[in-house]
Amino acid sequence: MHTEVLVQSMLLPFFLILLSFIEDSLLQSVSQVGGVCKLSTESSLRRCRTPDGKICSGRGKCNCGICICEAIEPGKFFGPRCECHDWVCATYNGKTCNDQGYCDCGVCECDEGWFGDACQFQEECNLSSKKSRELCKNQQGVVCSNRGHGQCYCGNCYCAAGWHGDKCEFQCDMSPWESRQRCTSPDGKICSNRGTCVCGECNCHDVDPSGDWGDIHGDTCECDERNCHATYDRYTDDFCSGHGQCNCGRCDCKEGWAGNKCEHPLSCSLSLESSLKKCRGTSNLPCFGRGQCQCGQCTCHPPGDSRVHGKNCECDDRQCEDISGEVCGGHGYCSCGRCICEEGWFGKLCQFPRSCDMSDAQSKELCETSDGVICSGKGSCHCGKCICNPQDWWVSGEYCECDDRECDKHDGIICTGNGLCNCGNCECWDGWNGNACEIWVGEEY
């Protein structure tokens, strides 16, 4: 019986791949007649374009709506739009690339000092053989729990297939394939990308900085209670605006309340849609994600912080501050979240002087990266400082080397609007925590 289930589970992906191939073939035959593409250039490119706007993920060419991937490196896996298939990366002890590297299109790129298919081995070890073995012993004094369970290297146990735990003390009675299947969430992700799969069970990440039980749970970590908190109200314990019950990340509203987060009173003369439309203004989010919308009126949050203001909370003067809290670099003043610079200064935070006493050659020398490229090829050099291309809003850094799209978002807002994106990482303002600055840890109010 177990064998039949295993065979069926292995056949299913092959069937889906075959189905996908047939579908692509049909599309190709419809779009091409007699070798001539019948699609317009715009239609062809639209089929090849990924959500981030790249054609074939920047790894291939578009041929009549079909991506032809440039597979220049063996062992890497791509999808129909040449996107990375990171799920095929090797795991060690339930961790992709052993958490000592990152997955690049199915191949582990290990951190410095680590090697192996799953980055499971350290290159150098400063421990003596005796000390290493001592650290690998379990409570019974057996190295890595027994011969065949795993290998001891530099004080760490590297478990064999079917065993896991710090000392390889736990046995997994299922194949890696079955383990992965059990950990796959309804949307096809391993532990919903919010946990680690160990022997068919998901250990969900605890996102609560206080150390209490986290907001993520479920057999495959599919439930995220953070979704029941309104964006503006992350600092309270109230789910569903205090007017409903949170069930696996969805709000069941009490009588008299409606909305995804039970934020709309049915006693309001406006419909939910009309109320939200009035609160949005020019934003895609009610109250610009910085306040509570109730019956078409915005109440900006956090309360008492005059830096967030406006009819629709559209003004966030915190955007005028740098990481240290200085407003407009000390060379201007803030007006509705934008710096008005003094004469002789310019830039988003008035950080650039209009003139300087250095030659063009001296200036460019300060803007060169280690490979000799000016501002990483993504900006221009002025007075020895890089001015990143304003059309590419995500480009930042001293040498325009950073991609702010890598910063975490919540409810579609980078750093949840409660911090600044600094080279792909959220730098949270005082009182906020979390990868996307989504958790309030300051005083209750």
Side-chain angles (χ1 to χ4, degrees):
M1 181 65 183
H2 178 76
T3 305
E4 291 179 4
V5 172
L6 183 59
V7 170
Q8 288 175 4
S9 64
M10 293 177 68
L11 285 175
L12 181 60
F14 291 113
F15 174 73
L16 292 175
I17 292 171
L18 179 62
L19 190 62
S20 175
F21 174 78
I22 294 171
E23 183 181 2
D24 286 346
S25 300
L26 287 173
L27 283 172
Q28 186 91 25
S29 63
V30 170
S31 57
Q32 288 190 354
V33 179
V36 179
C37 183
K38 295 299 182 180
L39 296 175
S40 66
T41 301
E42 183 180 352
S43 296
S44 175
L45 292 176
R46 186 169 63 248
R47 293 187 182 190
C48 292
R49 188 175 287 114
T50 54
D52 59 0
K54 292 182 180 179
I55 301 299
C56 299
S57 305
R59 300 188 187 93
K61 295 180 180 179
C62 185
N63 181 16
C64 199
I66 303 295
C67 283
I68 309 299
C69 305
E70 297 174 354
I72 56 176
E73 297 181 58
K76 293 199 172 182
F77 296 83
F78 303 107
R81 290 184 177 86
C82 303
E83 68 273 23
C84 279
H85 271 188
D86 287 346
W87 57 269
V88 296
C89 261
T91 61
Y92 184 78
N93 208 16
K95 299 174 182 177
T96 301
C97 301
N98 195 31
D99 279 352
Q100 300 295 343
Y102 65 93
C103 188
D104 182 19
C105 296
V107 176
C108 285
E109 296 290 340
C110 302
D111 295 339
E112 187 175 354
W114 293 84
F115 70 100
D117 291 342
C119 305
Q120 70 270 43
F121 302 116
Q122 281 185 292
E123 291 179 353
E124 294 183 8
C125 181
N126 298 321
L127 298 177
S128 66
S129 177
K130 182 179 180 181
K131 180 64 175 176
S132 175
R133 288 176 63 83
E134 283 296 322
L135 292 173
C136 286
K137 289 181 179 179
N138 62 11
Q139 291 180 341
Q140 288 74 38
V142 181
V143 175
C144 298
S145 299
N146 211 339
R147 183 174 294 180
H149 289 203
Q151 292 181 331
C152 178
Y153 180 78
C154 202
N156 292 304
C157 287
Y158 295 91
C159 304
W163 296 90
H164 61 98
D166 289 340
K167 301 294 185 288
C168 307
E169 66 270 37
F170 302 117
Q171 185 175 17
C172 184
D173 59 353
M174 63 182 70
S175 67
W177 179 271
E178 187 179 353
S179 173
R180 185 183 290 271
Q181 271 199 319
R182 290 193 182 187
C183 289
T184 301
S185 57
D187 58 0
K189 298 174 182 175
I190 302 299
C191 299
S192 306
N193 284 348
R194 302 187 189 114
T196 303
C197 181
V198 178
C199 198
E201 292 186 1
C202 287
N203 295 329
C204 304
H205 298 320
D206 187 351
V207 298
D208 189 339
S210 68
D212 294 335
W213 179 80
D215 291 317
I216 296 174
H217 61 98
D219 289 342
T220 56
C221 307
E222 71 277 12
C223 300
D224 189 347
E225 304 299 331
R226 293 176 300 176
N227 293 332
C228 290
H229 280 303
T231 305
Y232 66 86
D233 205 20
R234 299 247 170 236
Y235 41 79
T236 72
D237 291 329
D238 284 339
F239 289 111
C240 307
S241 308
H243 307 300
Q245 178 72 36
C246 185
N247 291 317
C248 195
R250 293 186 178 183
C251 286
D252 292 333
C253 302
K254 294 178 182 177
E255 189 175 352
W257 294 88
N260 289 337
K261 295 170 184 178
C262 306
E263 72 276 22
H264 183 69
L266 295 178
S267 58
C268 175
S269 58
L270 298 174
S271 66
L272 173 61
E273 290 74 18
S274 297
S275 173
L276 293 175
K277 184 178 180 180
K278 195 172 180 181
C279 287
R280 283 192 189 104
T282 57
S283 172
N284 293 325
L285 290 171
C287 307
F288 281 70
R290 303 183 189 116
Q292 179 184 16
C293 175
Q294 198 166 95
C295 204
Q297 298 291 320
C298 286
T299 302
C300 302
H301 284 260
D305 193 339
S306 60
R307 293 176 298 176
V308 183
H309 56 98
K311 180 182 177 183
N312 297 114
C313 307
E314 67 274 16
C315 298
D316 186 356
D317 292 348
R318 297 174 299 183
Q319 302 296 332
C320 293
E321 300 176 5
D322 59 17
I323 298 296
S324 64
E326 188 174 33
V327 176
C328 301
H331 306 296
Y333 65 92
C334 190
S335 175
C336 194
R338 293 189 176 185
C339 285
I340 308 298
C341 302
E342 296 172 353
E343 188 175 351
W345 295 86
F346 72 102
K348 183 181 177 181
L349 297 175
C350 305
Q351 71 270 43
F352 300 116
R354 291 199 177 275
S355 59
C356 55
D357 55 354
M358 66 175 65
S359 66
D360 190 49
Q362 289 173 321
S363 175
K364 287 183 177 179
E365 187 177 349
L366 293 173
C367 290
E368 280 188 3
T369 55
S370 57
D371 54 2
V373 179
I374 301 293
C375 301
S376 306
K378 301 173 185 175
S380 57
C381 185
H382 175 77
C383 289
K385 291 186 176 182
C386 287
I387 302 175
C388 304
N389 189 352
Q391 278 73 40
D392 298 332
W393 62 265
W394 58 87
V395 177
S396 66
E398 185 179 359
Y399 298 102
C400 304
E401 76 279 17
C402 302
D403 188 340
D404 285 351
R405 290 175 298 185
E406 294 176 2
C407 269
D408 287 309
K409 298 180 182 179
H410 203 81
D411 278 355
I413 305 175
I414 290 178
C415 303
T416 324
N418 299 320
L420 297 175
C421 184
N422 183 19
C423 212
N425 293 304
C426 288
E427 298 279 353
C428 304
W429 287 313
D430 288 344
W432 295 93
N433 205 333
N435 291 336
C437 305
E438 76 276 23
I439 303 170
W440 176 256
V441 292
E443 296 179 4
E444 292 288 339
Y445 47 77

